[in-house]
């Protein structure tokens, strides 16, 4: 059973960098074919795909967030990390990490992913 767990600060100030880590257990982030995404849901809005890092280390980001987003990994710890810079209150959301078989660019539908973290609330203060 694969499990994903998000961790990181729940409160970030405007203009700072949001940094979240997803720790994966029960499966390796370098297993061929799997992609590891960050997805968020702002209050009153639907799920929004942010980006992924693939089993080979390839990355892809939502175009509107690309200039502020970086996803990296630590294979020794079986973790991958989201960094979102220059945050504003509009980045306030519940942030999820999730796994898909194959790349999932711009797809945030729940059925596209077989495993999800429980989500972590991040609030950006003005």
């Amino acid at each position: 059973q694969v499990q994903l767990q998000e961790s990181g600060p729940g409160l970030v100030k405007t203009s700072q960098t949001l940094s979240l880590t997803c720790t994966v257990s029960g499966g390796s982030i370098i297993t061929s074919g799997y992609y590891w995404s960050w997805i968020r849901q702002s209050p009153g809005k639907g799920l929004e795909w942010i980006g992924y890092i693939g089993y080979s280390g390839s990355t892809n980001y939502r175009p509107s967030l690309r200039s502020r987003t970086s996803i990296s990994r630590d294979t020794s710890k079986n973790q991958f990390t989201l960094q979102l810079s220059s945050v504003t209150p509009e980045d306030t959301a519940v942030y999820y990490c999730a796994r898909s078989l194959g790349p999932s660019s711009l797809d945030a539908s729940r059925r596209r992913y077989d495993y999800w973290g429980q989500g972590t609330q991040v609030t950006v203060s003005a």
Side-chain angles (χ1 to χ4, degrees):
Q1 180 79 358
V2 176
Q3 292 184 319
L4 294 83
Q5 178 67 57
E6 305 90 349
S7 60
L11 184 63
V12 183
K13 294 183 179 179
T14 295
S15 80
Q16 291 186 340
T17 296
L18 178 163
S19 183
L20 296 174
T21 295
C22 183
T23 301
V24 179
S25 59
S28 172
I29 63 172
I30 62 172
T31 298
S32 181
Y34 287 103
Y35 290 73
W36 306 86
S37 288
W38 286 99
I39 296 163
R40 69 183 182 182
Q41 186 166 25
S42 302
K45 297 185 179 179
L47 294 167
E48 180 180 60
W49 178 81
I50 300 169
Y52 68 62
I53 186 163
Y55 64 96
S56 66
S58 63
T59 56
N60 194 20
Y61 305 123
R62 187 177 194 85
S64 62
L65 298 175
R66 181 172 291 131
S67 64
R68 301 195 289 128
T69 306
S70 176
I71 299 176
S72 59
R73 67 182 184 176
D74 185 335
T75 57
S76 68
K77 296 181 179 179
N78 215 33
Q79 296 175 332
F80 60 105
T81 297
L82 167 70
Q83 290 193 309
L84 184 66
S85 64
S86 303
V87 296
T88 72
E90 290 190 349
D91 294 308
T92 293
V94 177
Y95 285 75
Y96 300 91
C97 53
R99 189 186 82 166
S100 65
L101 180 61
S104 59
S105 300
L106 295 175
D107 189 345
S109 58
R110 288 199 172 270
R111 65 180 181 274
R112 182 65 182 87
Y113 303 87
D114 56 357
Y115 291 100
W116 290 72
Q118 64 183 22
T120 187
Q121 173 70 46
V122 177
T123 300
V124 180
S125 62

